[in-house]
Amino acid sequence: MPTRRAVTGRSREPRARFAEELRNLRTERGDSLRQLGERLGWDWSLFGKMEKGETVGGPEVVQALDQYYGTPGLLLAMWELAISDHSQFKERYQRYMALEAEATSLWHFAVSVLPGLLQTPGYARELLASGGLSGERLTQQVEARMGRRSLLEGEGAPAFRTILSEAALRTALRSTEEWRDQLAHLSEMAERPNLALQVLPQSAGLHGLSSTDVWFLRLPDSRTVAYTEHGYGGELHEESAAVERMQRAYDATRDLALSPVESQKFILHVLEELSCDPST
């Protein structure tokens, strides 16, 4: 079982922090650059350039490094930050991603957008494109997001619970086929033993998280932190009183949600409605 790694480096600029983490991981492993290149099948000079910050590489090599070092999704998340342009958001998100890599369990609530860990490539592409990405940058970000899904795989995967507002299941993609694939993927993921998926129906009315997407991370030291986000940024909450208030709102919202079994039936019903719609 891979050990969940805490990121404790000193560099705050994401590109420099990414390079620093790559150096630290290789040094701890005891590999030379040549040995690393031989073991992963890339020219060793690429890893040297990445560790110097001269390049960040592509998602394929970063995913291979994640697998080699046993840091599922962490390096891909740091790579995604390194190629992003939103510096203030990057700093807060980087801290969140470091904690996510350590987390023993995750809880989540979605207002209108499905969580990245459950997105298909088609969903991620349309969502990221709506935020202004295009071309190679868009392709890289989609690949990075798909790589992060490995966090939920394998023996050491954390337990994950998500509550999806019905709005997130009613906001379809432009491509009917891609939307079918996304709904089918949600139904399949709901069957995983480490994942609990619940749907909050619109009939539940207003509640304490009506306008807040939130993640709760349970850490190895039994501490819980929260991360709230919207389309243009996010905020990490580590102060216990604030986290407890949000947890109470989450618990109350969960009481209003359908059970996991009922939720999977709901998703399949939405999928059936889509298949029966003559306009599709």
Side-chain angles (χ1 to χ4, degrees):
M1 181 184 304
T3 301
R4 296 199 177 279
R5 175 183 174 83
V7 178
T8 56
R10 292 169 292 182
S11 298
R12 300 188 69 182
E13 195 279 316
R15 190 176 180 120
R17 181 68 196 91
F18 179 60
E20 182 180 284
E21 186 67 11
L22 292 176
R23 288 194 301 273
N24 289 344
L25 286 166
R26 180 177 58 80
T27 300
E28 290 174 9
R29 191 68 174 252
D31 290 341
S32 67
L33 287 169
R34 289 184 183 278
Q35 287 172 326
L36 184 62
E38 290 170 0
R39 287 166 183 168
L40 293 186
W42 270 275
D43 190 305
W44 67 270
S45 63
L46 170 62
F47 297 114
K49 291 176 182 177
M50 291 172 71
E51 291 184 13
K52 291 177 183 176
E54 295 174 4
T55 181
V56 295
E60 299 88 356
V61 67
V62 179
Q63 186 169 12
L65 287 165
D66 253 336
Q67 294 172 349
Y68 181 67
Y69 290 130
T71 54
L74 175 62
L75 291 178
L76 270 167
M78 296 181 72
W79 173 85
E80 188 176 356
L81 293 169
I83 64 173
S84 175
D85 288 330
H86 309 291
S87 57
Q88 281 190 332
F89 172 59
K90 283 188 294 185
E91 206 170 288
R92 290 191 293 268
Y93 191 58
Q94 183 178 21
R95 169 68 175 156
Y96 165 77
M97 289 308 308
L99 293 171
E100 183 185 77
E102 296 179 64
T104 57
S105 61
L106 305 92
W107 297 273
H108 168 260
F109 175 73
V111 175
S112 59
V113 175
L114 301 177
L117 292 175
L118 298 182
Q119 291 174 11
T120 59
Y123 188 99
R125 177 170 292 275
E126 187 167 317
L127 179 64
L128 292 167
S130 70
L133 289 179
S134 61
E136 185 178 355
R137 285 282 305 283
L138 175 60
T139 299
Q140 289 177 333
Q141 294 279 11
V142 170
E143 290 176 348
R145 182 160 296 187
M146 294 305 97
R148 281 189 60 216
R149 299 193 304 183
S150 64
L151 181 72
L152 300 180
E153 300 170 356
E155 263 186 62
F160 177 42
R161 175 183 295 276
T162 183
I163 304 172
L164 306 177
S165 171
E166 183 178 343
L169 298 172
R170 298 294 185 184
T171 307
L173 298 176
R174 295 185 183 91
S175 166
T176 302
E177 192 60 38
E178 293 283 11
W179 185 229
R180 284 196 186 100
D181 289 345
Q182 176 63 77
L183 292 171
H185 179 66
L186 284 178
S187 180
E188 291 169 9
M189 292 296 290
E191 296 178 357
R192 290 197 175 193
N194 67 317
L195 194 151
L197 188 156
Q198 293 181 259
V199 173
L200 181 71
Q202 290 177 332
S203 59
L206 295 174
H207 52 87
L209 296 177
S210 290
S211 61
T212 305
D213 273 64
V214 62
W215 289 84
F216 296 97
L217 310 181
R218 182 75 167 177
L219 302 176
D221 61 5
S222 297
R223 187 167 52 99
T224 300
V225 301
Y227 185 78
T228 54
E229 61 183 344
H230 53 79
Y232 299 96
E235 188 69 35
L236 181 65
H237 307 267
E238 299 187 67
E239 195 271 316
S240 59
V243 174
E244 287 172 7
R245 284 196 301 273
M246 283 185 278
Q247 281 186 304
R248 286 195 293 273
Y250 186 86
D251 290 342
T253 301
R254 185 174 59 187
D255 290 342
L256 298 171
L258 302 177
S259 71
V261 172
E262 292 170 329
S263 295
Q264 189 172 22
K265 290 179 181 177
F266 187 97
I267 293 169
L268 291 173
H269 179 67
V270 175
L271 185 56
E272 288 169 5
E273 286 180 339
L274 186 67
S275 300
C276 294
D277 187 343
S279 65
T280 64

